[in-house]
Amino acid sequence: MTEEHKGVEQYATDASQAHIELARRLVDAPLEYPLEAYRILSGLTRSAHELPQLLELLESGIDRLLAGDRLDTDFRGASLEEKLQDFRAGLAAASEATQAVERGLDKAFRAIGHVSYKEAAEPQP
């Protein structure tokens, strides 16, 4: 599938797969140098930084569908309004959590940037 033909949902799937692959690679080939952790944290921090905006865009997309009278409920116990209220509350909680994750990753990123690899000492004659 080419980038121009990729559906928006595929990007979310790709991001998920990238995180799974990163975890697998870290298990199969553990870090050798702190610079590797620094670079990984850089990427994860950038990803976390984008999540609140993505959540806002999801919410505005649902709002546009609602404004166009294009939403309904499957009538399994709750009204559309209740489901949308839960949706918004879930997004708000997720946004707060991702901001906390971003702060934690940023703190770890800044700290590991000051850690260097300890070279083996030369044997003394």
Side-chain angles (χ1 to χ4, degrees):
M1 179 181 315
T2 65
E3 286 293 313
E4 65 186 53
H5 291 97
K6 188 183 290 190
V8 68
E9 302 92 353
Q10 187 61 45
Y11 287 103
T13 300
D14 292 350
S16 173
Q17 288 297 100
H19 286 123
I20 291 167
E21 182 63 18
L22 174 59
R24 189 186 69 72
R25 297 271 178 111
L26 286 171
V27 168
D28 292 346
L31 299 179
E32 293 186 33
Y33 301 99
L35 180 60
E36 294 167 308
Y38 180 80
R39 289 176 176 158
I40 291 167
L41 284 167
S42 174
L44 293 175
T45 301
R46 284 192 314 268
S47 291
H49 178 74
E50 297 300 324
L51 284 173
Q53 180 182 9
L54 293 172
L55 298 173
E56 288 175 17
L57 291 168
L58 281 171
E59 184 173 13
S60 62
I62 292 297
D63 289 343
R64 278 192 302 279
L65 292 172
L66 181 62
D69 197 28
R70 296 182 64 196
L71 298 180
D72 205 347
T73 182
D74 63 7
F75 301 105
R76 284 189 275 179
S79 70
L80 177 61
E81 293 77 23
E82 291 171 310
K83 288 298 177 189
L84 291 176
Q85 187 176 25
D86 289 347
F87 170 74
R88 288 185 179 94
L91 289 180
S95 183
E96 288 178 24
T98 60
Q99 290 172 30
V101 167
E102 181 187 5
R103 287 190 301 272
L105 288 170
D106 186 57
K107 182 177 181 177
F109 172 75
R110 285 182 279 117
I112 200 68
H114 297 281
V115 173
S116 61
Y117 183 72
K118 184 176 180 180
E119 296 291 336
E122 293 289 324
Q124 298 297 321

